[in-house]
Amino acid sequence: MANLRDIRRRIKSVKNTSQITKAMELVAAAKMKKAQNQAVAGREYADSLNEVLTNLKDNTEEESHPLLEQREGGKELMLVISTDKGLCGGLNTNLLKKVRATAGKNCDYITVGRKLRMQIAKAGGNLIADWHVGDPVPFNDAKPIAKFVTEKFLEGDYDRISVAFNNFVSTLRQEPWVSQLLPIEADTLAEKRAYEGVGQGTSKETDKVSALSKDYLFEPSAEGVLDKLLPLYINFQVYQMLVEARASEHSARMVAMKSATDNAKNMIKDLTLEYNKLRQAAITAELLEITTAMKAME
């Protein structure tokens, strides 16, 4: 059985740990709010871009652009967006399970984040590139990633480009998500993705009708505008996924640190109770010794 000194040391150690986890919880909460606001700020831009793409799709021929070309083949490149730091619950573990269940045999990987980069490398996955993204996510950090995967697709190195990330649904819920980035599917070209607008659902049919009812004049041509707009569309999709993944990271870490802090408080209560019991038992034993000595001296 532990003595009083050992229990005091354990109580002090747990208190120090709870202070650290509480501080990490507060930091994660502040960062999560910034990442959530960053994702919400892109909603209006996404809606406007989707409206223009809807009209472009109707004014151009199917698969008139190389980025819309559907290819036959199993060569796939997957962009995996994870975290650089741990202490965020099962966020990375759940995403890794999703990647393993979705990725084909001929799949190469690009990673953002140190955690799954290490896991994929240990599992023997072929890593061709790794990127670092700032916090909060700058829009310029998404451009080289989008450019790199687009070039790989246009050069014919890969037949399909997909992205694996954690979709932020709510503070307590983050879903591992795999979405096809290239080739862009013409049927879903202008549809609002479920991860656009922080976990919001797809656009309603009334929104689509409203978008289709608008008339645009394209100069020099619809094909020329489409050629300029599709790379921007891909860039924005990559940026939105990065923002969703970052919001998921901070929310998961905030919940994990709150749980750790609560557990530490409960442990302190249990240790304090045990300490008081042992202290009371020690006092009682001393009183018994004194009483016994007095009786012996009578």
Side-chain angles (χ1 to χ4, degrees), residues 274-288:
E274 183 180 355
Y275 175 82
N276 291 334
K277 286 181 178 179
L278 288 176
R279 185 168 175 271
Q280 186 177 8
I283 294 173
T284 304
E286 291 178 0
L287 290 175
L288 287 174

Side-chain angles (χ1 to χ4, degrees), residues 1 14 16 27 31-32 53-54 60 72 112 128 149 163-164 178 192 202 213 231 239 250 279:
M1 180 180 293
V14 174
N16 292 336
V27 172
K31 290 184 176 180
M32 183 199 70
L53 286 172
T54 300
T60 56
E72 294 182 359
V112 174
I128 65 171
V149 297
V163 184
V178 176
K192 186 176 181 180
T202 56
S213 63
Y239 168 76
H250 294 317
R279 185 168 175 271

Side-chain angles (χ1 to χ4, degrees), residues 53-274:
L53 286 172
T54 300
N55 285 270
L56 278 171
K57 183 181 67 174
D58 293 339
N59 285 276
T60 56
E61 297 179 359
E62 291 290 331
E63 298 187 359
S64 60
H65 195 277
L67 296 178
L68 300 173
E69 179 186 355
Q70 302 294 325
R71 302 175 183 174
E72 294 182 359
K75 193 64 175 176
E76 179 183 1
L77 178 64
M78 181 177 290
L79 169 63
V80 182
I81 305 173
S82 64
T83 68
D84 288 320
K85 301 178 182 178
L87 301 177
C88 51
L91 193 72
N92 291 316
T93 302
N94 295 333
L95 181 60
L96 182 60
K97 291 179 180 178
K98 186 72 173 181
V99 170
R100 288 175 175 173
T102 307
K105 295 181 179 180
N106 297 324
C107 183
D108 294 338
Y109 299 94
I110 301 174
T111 56
V112 174
R114 184 174 61 90
K115 288 298 181 179
L116 285 196
R117 180 190 68 202
M118 297 171 59
Q119 293 292 333
I120 293 174
K122 288 180 181 179
N126 184 26
L127 290 172
I128 65 171
D130 178 65
W131 302 85
H132 175 74
V133 176
D135 188 15
V137 181
F139 188 75
N140 287 335
D141 282 6
K143 289 182 178 180
I145 302 175
K147 182 180 179 181
F148 181 82
V149 297
T150 302
E151 290 177 351
K152 289 292 182 181
F153 180 78
L154 293 177
E155 291 170 359
D157 295 340
Y158 298 95
D159 302 308
R160 183 172 179 265
I161 310 291
S162 57
V163 184
F165 65 102
N166 285 293
N167 179 33
F168 179 83
V169 180
S170 65
T171 304
L172 300 176
R173 183 183 173 193
Q174 302 85 35
E175 294 181 352
W177 197 289
V178 176
S179 177
Q180 179 173 321
L181 184 66
L182 290 169
I184 301 173
E185 297 175 310
D187 293 338
T188 60
L189 176 63
E191 289 182 359
K192 186 176 181 180
R193 302 293 190 266
Y195 49 80
E196 289 178 0
V198 193
Q200 298 298 316
T202 56
S203 301
K204 298 180 180 179
E205 293 298 329
T206 54
D207 296 334
K208 295 180 183 179
V209 173
S210 176
L212 291 171
S213 63
K214 295 184 179 181
D215 295 328
Y216 293 92
L217 295 177
F218 299 104
E219 292 290 343
S221 64
E223 289 77 10
V225 176
L226 186 66
D227 186 60
K228 296 293 184 181
L229 202 56
L230 283 181
L232 178 62
Y233 174 79
I234 295 171
N235 191 12
F236 182 79
Q237 295 298 319
V238 173
Y239 168 76
Q240 193 69 29
M241 294 171 184
L242 290 170
V243 172
E244 293 288 341
R246 193 54 55 87
S248 298
E249 174 187 353
H250 294 317
S251 61
R253 182 171 292 114
M254 184 193 71
V255 173
M257 292 300 98
K258 185 180 186 305
S259 178
T261 303
D262 294 340
N263 291 337
K265 291 180 180 179
N266 293 333
M267 185 178 293
I268 291 172
K269 290 181 181 179
D270 294 339
L271 289 172
T272 302
L273 180 61
E274 183 180 355

